[in-house]
Amino acid sequence: VTVEGDKTNRTTFEPREGSQVLRIKAVGYDEDGLFTCTASNSVGMSSVNFTVIITGAPEFREDSQSVVTVGEKSVATIPCDYRSNPRPNVTWFSIDDDEVEEEILVDGPNSLFSLNKEDGSLVINKVQGSQTGCYRCFAENVFGNDTTTLELIVIEPPLPPRNLALTSGGTGFSVALTWEVSPSPPRQEVDKFVVELSTDDGET
């Protein structure tokens, strides 16, 4: 007798008179799904399917996304990657630099945020650089709760260079154009600079 569908190797067989019992130790969401029990001998085989439905407190996936990076004025979606049955109530909090939390009001008449009712993700339309920071997702149902923190990084356009200076050696000599780089937020350094020459006739 074999069992297909065991994802965790926590299943064992216990013989009973005229039958066998499949026991799952420390059952969790990994065991939620369809199991197929197949009996076979020299003549043939037969199978039966059964579904295991797990109910319990919300549980965030350990390998879920922890950093979301988007461009300014785009749509930012911060995931709330949980497993839960029944579906939990989801509350989001913003965390400032002093680690002070504030509950985010979603779907209000003047709210900048909305909540995806299907998966609990937080959606920010036309996200601004000032919204860079950490956000905490809190999920709760009748069995308990769990929480996870994610970081949102909003990439902003760079500021123009400062203090441009042109040093010339005269006709036929080389020139040097120098400038200072304007400060950029962490992890938002300028990728490259492009220098263009416009002539008196308007050509570039």
Side-chain angles (χ1 to χ4, degrees):
V1 180
T2 60
V3 172
E4 300 173 6
D6 180 12
K7 310 171 201 174
T8 60
N9 296 317
R10 293 202 296 264
T11 58
T12 58
F13 278 109
E14 295 182 1
R16 296 285 178 88
E17 184 176 353
S19 65
Q20 297 235 9
V21 173
L22 175 67
R23 184 175 298 277
I24 305 175
K25 301 177 181 178
V27 67
Y29 288 114
D30 285 332
E31 285 73 43
D32 191 288
L34 181 68
F35 284 75
T36 300
C37 181
T38 301
S40 62
N41 58 22
S42 58
V43 178
M45 64 176 62
S46 59
S47 300
V48 63
N49 296 329
F50 59 95
T51 301
V52 174
I53 300 175
I54 304 299
T55 59
E59 179 181 289
F60 285 97
R61 304 177 191 273
E62 294 182 359
D63 59 348
S64 60
Q65 185 178 0
S66 61
V67 178
V68 177
T69 302
V70 297
E72 189 178 48
K73 297 183 180 180
S74 64
V75 178
T77 300
I78 309 177
C80 190
D81 191 12
Y82 59 78
R83 296 185 292 183
S84 178
N85 188 16
R87 180 179 295 179
N89 295 318
V90 172
T91 306
W92 281 93
F93 300 85
S94 61
I95 307 174
D96 65 17
D97 293 338
D98 296 323
E99 298 187 357
V100 176
E101 295 189 0
E102 181 179 355
E103 182 176 347
I104 296 174
L105 301 179
V106 297
D107 299 324
N110 299 315
S111 177
L112 302 174
F113 306 89
S114 61
L115 182 70
N116 186 318
K117 299 296 194 302
E118 294 298 319
D119 59 14
S121 58
L122 183 68
V123 180
I124 311 174
N125 289 307
K126 296 183 180 180
V127 65
Q128 301 296 315
S130 59
Q131 292 169 313
T132 290
C134 291
Y135 294 80
R136 184 169 71 89
C137 179
F138 178 80
E140 183 176 34
N141 65 15
V142 295
F143 294 104
N145 61 72
D146 198 6
T147 188
T148 189
T149 300
L150 302 95
E151 182 181 9
L152 173 66
I153 299 175
V154 181
I155 304 298
E156 304 175 63
L159 297 173
R162 302 177 301 174
N163 301 326
L164 272 71
L166 179 64
T167 303
S168 173
T171 303
F173 292 89
S174 63
V175 296
L177 178 63
T178 61
W179 61 84
E180 295 179 8
V181 180
S182 299
S184 298
R187 288 183 282 186
Q188 298 190 30
E189 292 76 13
V190 177
D191 293 330
K192 64 179 179 180
F193 294 93
V194 177
V195 178
E196 296 180 340
L197 170 66
S198 297
T199 61
D200 292 338
D201 56 10
E203 294 184 359
T204 301

